[in-house]
């Protein structure tokens, strides 16, 4: 139930992670569901823990992690490619965290 989930502050939950936990956080200017302002709040909580935060701002990447320069939610079901920006960020994150 949404009201149950909404009672938790993501930054407060994130602040409970053990120190130095590797975390990859992303946001995109094309994500119509979760904007960068919300992710900035989460990042603030992660920084309270001294988590090893890698925060990547993506450009033109939809909520479904696809390249979507149109930023049109009607295109979400289209066969768009997985974000090359995110693929690169994942590769870097995994190389530094494993």
């Amino acid at each position: 139930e949404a009201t149950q989930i909404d009672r938790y502050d993501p930054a407060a939950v994130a602040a409970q992670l053990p120190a130095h936990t590797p975390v990859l956080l992303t946001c995109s200017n094309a994500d119509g569901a979760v904007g960068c302002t919300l992710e900035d709040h989460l990042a603030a909580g992660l920084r309270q823990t001294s988590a090893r935060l890698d925060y990547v701002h993506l450009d033109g990447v939809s909520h479904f992690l696809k390249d979507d320069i149109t930023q049109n939610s009607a295109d979400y079901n289209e066969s768009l490619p997985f974000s090359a920006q995110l693929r690169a960020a994942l590769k870097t994150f995994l190389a530094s965290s494993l």
Side-chain angles (χ1 to χ4, degrees):
E1 184 175 315
T3 57
Q4 295 257 332
I5 293 170
D6 290 344
R7 71 180 175 176
Y8 297 103
D9 177 5
V13 173
Q16 297 175 21
L17 283 175
H20 311 296
T21 300
V23 176
L24 174 63
L25 179 65
T26 66
C27 75
S28 173
N29 63 345
D31 187 339
V34 181
C36 289
T37 302
L38 290 174
E39 298 298 336
D40 291 344
H41 180 67
L42 179 56
L46 289 165
R47 288 185 183 106
Q48 291 177 13
T49 67
S50 300
R52 287 191 9 229
L53 177 60
D54 189 358
Y55 188 13
V56 179
H57 287 79
L58 305 170
D59 185 38
V61 178
S62 74
H63 186 69
F64 295 99
L65 310 177
K66 297 178 179 183
D67 285 326
D68 181 12
I69 59 171
T70 67
Q71 298 183 20
N72 182 354
S73 61
D75 292 338
Y76 281 177
N77 291 326
E78 295 298 319
S79 182
L80 300 170
F82 184 79
S83 168
Q85 295 168 74
L86 183 53
R87 180 176 286 117
L90 284 167
K91 185 177 179 179
T92 300
F93 176 75
L94 291 171
S96 68
S97 298
L98 294 179

